[in-house]
mmCIF file of all heavy atoms in Angstrom:
data_model
loop_
_atom_site.group_PDB
_atom_site.id
_atom_site.type_symbol
_atom_site.label_atom_id
_atom_site.label_comp_id
_atom_site.label_asym_id
_atom_site.label_seq_id
_atom_site.Cartn_x
_atom_site.Cartn_y
_atom_site.Cartn_z
ATOM 1 N N ALA A 1537 78.047 118.238 94.004
ATOM 2 C CA ALA A 1537 79.024 117.117 94.097
ATOM 3 C C ALA A 1537 78.875 116.528 95.397
ATOM 4 O O ALA A 1537 79.043 117.193 96.514
ATOM 5 C CB ALA A 1537 80.398 117.681 93.768
ATOM 6 N N CYS A 1538 78.589 115.264 95.428
ATOM 7 C CA CYS A 1538 78.251 114.579 96.776
ATOM 8 C C CYS A 1538 79.266 113.434 96.935
ATOM 9 O O CYS A 1538 79.472 112.602 96.056
ATOM 10 C CB CYS A 1538 76.780 114.082 96.717
ATOM 11 S SG CYS A 1538 76.228 113.367 98.274
ATOM 12 N N GLN A 1539 79.672 113.302 98.163
ATOM 13 C CA GLN A 1539 80.648 112.277 98.503
ATOM 14 C C GLN A 1539 79.929 110.887 98.579
ATOM 15 O O GLN A 1539 80.530 109.798 98.385
ATOM 16 C CB GLN A 1539 81.331 112.547 99.843
ATOM 17 C CG GLN A 1539 82.520 111.600 100.087
ATOM 18 C CD GLN A 1539 83.372 112.011 101.277
ATOM 19 O OE1 GLN A 1539 82.940 112.860 102.097
ATOM 20 N NE2 GLN A 1539 84.543 111.408 101.457
ATOM 21 N N TRP A 1540 78.582 110.952 98.785
ATOM 22 C CA TRP A 1540 77.908 109.678 99.014
ATOM 23 C C TRP A 1540 76.911 109.464 97.861
ATOM 24 O O TRP A 1540 76.816 110.305 96.981
ATOM 25 C CB TRP A 1540 77.131 109.723 100.305
ATOM 26 C CG TRP A 1540 78.102 109.815 101.479
ATOM 27 C CD1 TRP A 1540 78.199 111.076 102.123
ATOM 28 C CD2 TRP A 1540 78.932 108.950 102.044
ATOM 29 N NE1 TRP A 1540 79.163 110.825 103.120
ATOM 30 C CE2 TRP A 1540 79.508 109.583 103.096
ATOM 31 C CE3 TRP A 1540 79.136 107.621 101.787
ATOM 32 C CZ2 TRP A 1540 80.470 108.899 103.882
ATOM 33 C CZ3 TRP A 1540 80.083 106.888 102.590
ATOM 34 C CH2 TRP A 1540 80.719 107.594 103.603
ATOM 35 N N GLY A 1541 76.367 108.312 97.710
ATOM 36 C CA GLY A 1541 75.328 108.019 96.747
ATOM 37 C C GLY A 1541 74.068 108.492 97.090
ATOM 38 O O GLY A 1541 73.762 109.017 98.269
ATOM 39 N N PHE A 1542 73.051 108.385 96.169
ATOM 40 C CA PHE A 1542 71.615 108.662 96.643
ATOM 41 C C PHE A 1542 70.824 107.716 95.719
ATOM 42 O O PHE A 1542 71.239 107.317 94.608
ATOM 43 C CB PHE A 1542 71.233 110.073 96.476
ATOM 44 C CG PHE A 1542 71.948 110.816 95.334
ATOM 45 C CD1 PHE A 1542 71.457 110.782 94.037
ATOM 46 C CD2 PHE A 1542 72.940 111.604 95.696
ATOM 47 C CE1 PHE A 1542 72.057 111.490 93.045
ATOM 48 C CE2 PHE A 1542 73.612 112.384 94.712
ATOM 49 C CZ PHE A 1542 73.132 112.309 93.350
ATOM 50 N N ASP A 1543 69.521 107.418 96.126
ATOM 51 C CA ASP A 1543 68.777 106.404 95.428
ATOM 52 C C ASP A 1543 68.004 107.139 94.219
ATOM 53 O O ASP A 1543 68.158 108.248 93.990
ATOM 54 C CB ASP A 1543 67.852 105.776 96.439
ATOM 55 C CG ASP A 1543 66.817 106.783 97.002
ATOM 56 O OD1 ASP A 1543 66.711 107.843 96.585
ATOM 57 O OD2 ASP A 1543 66.223 106.381 98.057
ATOM 58 N N ASP A 1544 67.331 106.200 93.545
ATOM 59 C CA ASP A 1544 66.699 106.740 92.297
ATOM 60 C C ASP A 1544 65.708 107.781 92.461
ATOM 61 O O ASP A 1544 65.481 108.737 91.725
ATOM 62 C CB ASP A 1544 65.927 105.553 91.599
ATOM 63 C CG ASP A 1544 66.951 104.566 91.126
ATOM 64 O OD1 ASP A 1544 68.153 104.910 91.012
ATOM 65 O OD2 ASP A 1544 66.617 103.339 90.788
ATOM 66 N N GLU A 1545 64.910 107.830 93.652
ATOM 67 C CA GLU A 1545 63.923 108.870 93.913
ATOM 68 C C GLU A 1545 64.608 110.198 94.055
ATOM 69 O O GLU A 1545 64.091 111.187 93.449
ATOM 70 C CB GLU A 1545 63.238 108.503 95.300
ATOM 71 C CG GLU A 1545 62.004 109.257 95.454
ATOM 72 C CD GLU A 1545 61.256 108.905 96.697
ATOM 73 O OE1 GLU A 1545 61.408 107.879 97.330
ATOM 74 O OE2 GLU A 1545 60.292 109.669 97.052
ATOM 75 N N ALA A 1546 65.745 110.236 94.817
ATOM 76 C CA ALA A 1546 66.411 111.527 94.953
ATOM 77 C C ALA A 1546 67.002 112.028 93.584
ATOM 78 O O ALA A 1546 66.879 113.119 93.188
ATOM 79 C CB ALA A 1546 67.540 111.372 95.932
ATOM 80 N N ASN A 1547 67.484 111.009 92.790
ATOM 81 C CA ASN A 1547 67.983 111.249 91.528
ATOM 82 C C ASN A 1547 66.908 111.927 90.592
ATOM 83 O O ASN A 1547 67.229 112.830 89.897
ATOM 84 C CB ASN A 1547 68.534 109.944 90.891
ATOM 85 C CG ASN A 1547 69.681 110.215 89.932
ATOM 86 O OD1 ASN A 1547 70.123 111.362 89.734
ATOM 87 N ND2 ASN A 1547 70.208 109.134 89.476
ATOM 88 N N SER A 1548 65.746 111.308 90.495
ATOM 89 C CA SER A 1548 64.692 111.829 89.656
ATOM 90 C C SER A 1548 64.242 113.194 90.183
ATOM 91 O O SER A 1548 63.954 114.068 89.332
ATOM 92 C CB SER A 1548 63.529 110.885 89.483
ATOM 93 O OG SER A 1548 63.004 110.700 90.792
ATOM 94 N N LEU A 1549 64.246 113.421 91.436
ATOM 95 C CA LEU A 1549 63.849 114.686 91.998
ATOM 96 C C LEU A 1549 64.901 115.789 91.600
ATOM 97 O O LEU A 1549 64.492 116.923 91.226
ATOM 98 C CB LEU A 1549 63.845 114.631 93.541
ATOM 99 C CG LEU A 1549 62.446 114.785 94.191
ATOM 100 C CD1 LEU A 1549 62.603 114.419 95.609
ATOM 101 C CD2 LEU A 1549 61.771 116.041 93.974
ATOM 102 N N LEU A 1550 66.111 115.467 91.601
ATOM 103 C CA LEU A 1550 67.112 116.344 91.159
ATOM 104 C C LEU A 1550 67.043 116.708 89.758
ATOM 105 O O LEU A 1550 67.091 117.933 89.342
ATOM 106 C CB LEU A 1550 68.569 115.757 91.444
ATOM 107 C CG LEU A 1550 69.072 115.625 92.839
ATOM 108 C CD1 LEU A 1550 70.214 114.690 92.999
ATOM 109 C CD2 LEU A 1550 69.450 117.064 93.434
ATOM 110 N N LEU A 1551 66.709 115.735 88.969
ATOM 111 C CA LEU A 1551 66.558 115.950 87.496
ATOM 112 C C LEU A 1551 65.224 116.907 87.301
ATOM 113 O O LEU A 1551 65.330 117.810 86.440
ATOM 114 C CB LEU A 1551 66.230 114.635 86.768
ATOM 115 C CG LEU A 1551 66.058 114.705 85.278
ATOM 116 C CD1 LEU A 1551 67.383 115.196 84.508
ATOM 117 C CD2 LEU A 1551 65.668 113.384 84.683
#
Side-chain angles (χ1 to χ4, degrees):
C1538 185
Q1539 192 174 10
W1540 303 100
F1542 33 82
D1543 59 17
D1544 294 344
E1545 192 175 349
N1547 209 356
S1548 60
L1549 250 172
L1550 286 165
L1551 182 67

